[in-house]
Structure formats: C-alpha cells, structure tokens
Amino acid sequence: MFLKKFICHALALALPLVAFAQSNLLTTQTSYENIADAVSWISPNGQQTLLIASLEADGIAVYDKFGVERQHITALTSQGADVRYNMRSSGHIIDILATALPEENSIAFYQVDGSADQPLTALGQFAIDIAPEGVCLYQDPTTGVTSAAAFSKQGDLAQYRLDYDGKKVSSHLWDEQGNPKPVRLIHVGGELSGCVADDEAGVLYIAEQNVGIWRYGADPENVKDRALIDVAKPLGHLVEVENLELALQDNGQGYLMVADESQGFVFYNRSTGQYITQFDLDGIEEAKLVTPSAAGLWIGNTEADRPVYQFFSSQQLETLTGIDLSSLRSPRDGQSQQVALVPATAETQPVSDDGDAADDSAVWYNQASPEQSLIIATNKQGGLMAYRLDGAEVQSIASGKPNNVDIRQGLFAGDGFPLDIAAASNRALNTIALYSITDSKAPIQPIAATGDNLHPNAAELLSHVDEIYGLCMSVGNDGTPFVFVNGKGGEVEQWRLQQTKAGIEGEIVRSWQLNSQPEGCVVDDSSQTLYIGEEDYGIWAFDASPAGSTEPRQVAVVDGETLVDDVEGLTIYQSAQQHYLIASSQGNNTYSVYDLNHKNIYLGSFAIVSNDAAAVDGASDTDGIYAISMPLGSDYPQGLFIAQDWYNIDPQYRLQNQNFKIVDWLAIERQLVLKTKNL
Ligand code: CA
Ligand code: CA
Ligand code: CA
Ligand code: CA
Ligand code: CA
Ligand code: CA
Ligand code: CA
C-alpha cells in the first residue's frame, strides 16, 4: 500500500519532469502513420542496438540507437515484431526477426545482422491457420529450438516450430496437404492483442485485450496449465491491453511490462507475476512499449502528431516511477551454451495411465544375451513394466503404486540358486515390494516376503517412514543385500534382506533423518556410498554400511545453474575409465554429471533432445534416471542411460502418456567430452 501511495504521489510531482525530459528527448527520426509493435536487437558485443518497428501498412523500419533510420521495408503490412538470438537449425546459427502479415495470413522472417548495410535480410514467409494480429517467438534456452506463436482477433494462438535451411525459415511440421502445421493450437478466448515469451522461465504470456493476461507454458513439448496473471477492472488493474514486453534482470528477476490503452504502463514482478505499479507518461496517450538494452526503454507514442518511438533512460524512468530498471540485461545473454545436447536413441511404449504416472527405471542385465536385457520401470499410478531395449513392452503388471525401483542381481548365491531381485517403494501400502526378474515371457514375478515385518494384509515389507517415496538397493562387501527407502518427511531406513527356509525376510538395521523432502537415491556398491537427493537442497553422501556413520557429506548444492531444483533421480555410471554420479536436475531439464574419480567435481550437464530421424521426442521434467555401462549389443556398445519423460509427444506434437527415453551412452560420452574440453 505504501509503495502504491508513494508512486501516485511521485507521479503527481513527476509530470513536469516528463515535460522537461521531452525537450531533449531522443526519438526515432522518421515518422509513419501507424506503429504496431517494436523490438530491440542487441549485437553480440552489446555495443550496437537496433530498434525494429512494425508499422502496419508502412512495413518495417529499422533504427539505430540514435534513432536514425537504417532500413525501411515497404510493400507489406506488418503487425508485430519479435527477435531471437542464435536460433540453431541444420547446423546454422542466426538471429531472426518474426513479423505477422495479416493481409496474407502469414508470418514472415528476417535475419538480423547489425553489421550489414541493410540489417534485415528476408528469410521467407509461410501461410498459417489463423488470421494473425501479431507474433512472438520462444526459444528453448538449452537446445536453441525456436518457435513462433501467432495470435488472432478470434482468440486463437497457433505456435509453429521453425526450421532454417540456410536460405529460408519454414515450419518444422507439415500436414498431409503440404501446409505448415502448428505444433500447438490453443483457443485462448476473446480478442488477443499481444504475447511475449520468457524463455528462461519457459512461460508464454498472452494478452486477451478486454479480459486480462494469461500465463501458459511456452514450450510446445512441455505444456503446463494456464493461469491468469491479472484481469480487467474492477477485479484487476487492466482495461484494454495493447502490448506486452519483458525487462530481464539476473536470477529470474525483472518485469513483465504491460501497455494498457487506458491504464498506461502496468508493471509486474517477472518471477512471481505480482502486480507492482502503474504509471502514465505525459504526452503519451496510447501506451506501446519495448525494451532495448541495459540503457532504458523505447516507448511508442502513437497519438502524437508524428507517431514516433521515444527513448527513456533507466534513470529517467526510475526517477519518474520508482521502478529499478538499472540492471537490465541483454536477452542475448540468457542462453545456456554449456549443456551437451544428446538425441534420444529410442523410447518405451507409453505407460497405461495418463497424467504423472511413469517414474523410475532400472536395467535387468541378461548375462547370456546382453542385447536382450530388460528395462524394469514403474507406473506410479499402479504398475510395473518390463520393456525390451528398443522400448517395446514385454510385460505390465498391476502392483500397488510403485514409485521407485532398483535391481540387484545374483543375490543369495551361497545356496546355488542366485536370485535377481527388483525392489519397489509401494506408496499404496507404505511398503517395499519385492520381485524376482528372470529371462522369461513374464520376467517380473512378485516375491512374497516373509517374517515379522510385513504389512498386515500383504506379503510386503512395512516401512515406518511417513510416506514412502525414494528407494535404492545395495550389496554390501560381504554380499548382503540392502534396500534403502526414504519418506516425504525426510526419514531414511536401511533394510537388510535375508533368505531363510521360509523365504525372504527384511529387517530395519538403521534409520535416520534428513532436513527436507528427499527422493532420488543410489548406492555405489564399489565404494559402499549411499547418495541421496534432497529435492530443494542438493545431494548428500552417506556411508552405506549398516554400522557406518549417518553423518552427511555434501556432494552438490542446488545453485540454479549446474543443479536446479528439484533434484530428482540419481544414478551411477561406472566403467573401467569412468565413475560418474548423475542427477536429474529437474528444474532445467538436464542431467548433471559429477566425477566420483576426481573428488566429485561437476563435469558438465547434458539434455536429451529429440531425434527426428527416429521419431522420438526429447525428455523434460525428469523424475527417475538409470545408467548402465555394460555393453548391450551394437546399439549400446558402452551401455545406456534411461530418463523418465514428463511430456511425451508423438511426431505431430500430440501429447501421449508418459514414457522413458533411452539414450546410447556413447552419444552422451562424446558430447560430454566435447563440452568439458571447451570449458
Ligand atoms: Ca513484440
Ligand atoms: Ca532408481
Ligand atoms: Ca519434482
Ligand atoms: Ca520428486
Ligand atoms: Ca518421482
Ligand atoms: Ca518429451
Ligand atoms: Ca514420443
């Protein structure tokens, strides 16, 4: 309340200041009848900026930072302008501008190169399914894959994934008639008037002119539910939204800036979506705005006798409005270039339940024929599945609510009948369920546990943790098998498995407490170390032996960069040369690799991207992961890596039930080595 009052007061005083500022205002030096939208482009060294204005029937004009016109493209009606840097496609890397051509039902593209005589070079256009009123771009910050979202007066938004072949930008998807096909078509509501994507946050803001501002997931491979950020008066602060823009600051901070025809400029906190303030600028009737650089904002003044863009420095704006615009950063700097991109090799059949269902996996190694090894995986809504290494389902059994799964082989070998055992955390009964895995048509068979520590109604081991969640297995140096489970409340239990005449019994040998919710865990049998991820905090190491200390040793902390919460699945890749701990860094859709041979140093991260040739999509928002280094046939000569994929889509971008992505380890190793050499 105080802030609002302060600003209203400051504004009352500020009006003469604006008038003062008008006299030595920097403006664009040519004027056209209409200005629709504009965007800034910043050169790689940050020295040069361009203002690219979409002028409706007057085409597109490009201005330098002094407002001098550098280029004017005529003979087209341009509505909307957006830029993305370093779009990667077919080995090319370019900066692109997109604009909507309402008269032609098309979107058009230009390459932006500030050093050229003519900064914009046409890259073609393509017809789309809706009559576009504007367009915005979204770029996956990890992969560089870029898409254009056009919106209409009829309330529709059509998003197209873009390809660039060195000459033209075109749609990645085509329908059977050979027409560009959107990767996503959303009916938002009534008349739409603006959109802008926050690439880092993976968020797309859409303005419904007389209703308010919607927040959608921006990535067509990673669609989240929509939410309303603000609405029209009297419930909210808006009346008629004209335009949206973002001002970026570090660490996800900055502003969502809204130009409202009757309310002026309305600012929201970029990370929380909270309303901050609103203000008017003297002499500017119809608000349209744009972010240029670290220096300030170009603001479109359409109602003046001469419609122009006027430049307001960050300092001027701070004096006028109280908003700290001092540490704006270039949108060019937001990209993560350090992540190795590895295409998925294959994917499993989708699980049988929709929503959040697939979770964790482990590999059963087939000693006799390694290429016929099996992936054993959980559907946490009710089953356990076995898949071949090409992803085909071999078996699916209904079995409680198994969350995590792990496998150890050749257990209890002393009596001459070694068992391969899978253990799963069963959230339906708060138990550990045991299964034997064999080379047969129905490889997963439940084992009825025996002894004193069973669930009253099921032959499963009853855990005492609050809500059973993570699970991993180990084999001690003397061959004793153990199961570790953890609960949402942070408790950890270590169970010893024993074979008696009656069957397999389990007993708790140790339990202790973490500070917050854990889940992913893995044991490195070779060093008898248990690794546990605390979802919001980081990764801990513990002595895995039952008599060992429960003192935690810190391996990695959530730092928002190399490890982004939630910390989810953990796994170990160990070969003759390598000894890695890998974590699912769920918050940035990557997998972080730590070198256990070299003091757990962070080696780098990789992401699993789509493999268009194999018709497999990438993996994101991953829970469970698993790695194995054994050669598994010609497709997986150094083993493989498995990741749960939250958003499994088909090649037409239609959402499928969740599944698991399978990646040839060799592809990961190659990319990782390349990236770490470049560091
Ligand atoms: Ca724009
Ligand atoms: Ca696991
Ligand atoms: Ca999570
Ligand atoms: Ca989790
Ligand atoms: Ca999970
Ligand atoms: Ca996916
Ligand atoms: Ca798929």
Side-chain angles (χ1 to χ4, degrees), residues 98-126:
T99 187
L101 310 181
E103 314 256 280
E104 301 170 59
N105 271 13
S106 294
I107 41 182
F109 301 91
Y110 294 84
Q111 178 168 3
V112 191
D113 176 3
S115 62
D117 286 347
Q118 307 258 297
L120 300 185
T121 309
L123 297 177
Q125 62 188 67
F126 60 82

Side-chain angles (χ1 to χ4, degrees), residues 469 519 535 566-568 586 621 623 646:
Y469 208 41
E519 180 177 356
E535 289 192 346
D566 295 352
V567 180
E568 290 280 346
Q586 192 176 49
D621 257 303
D623 284 326
W646 192 290

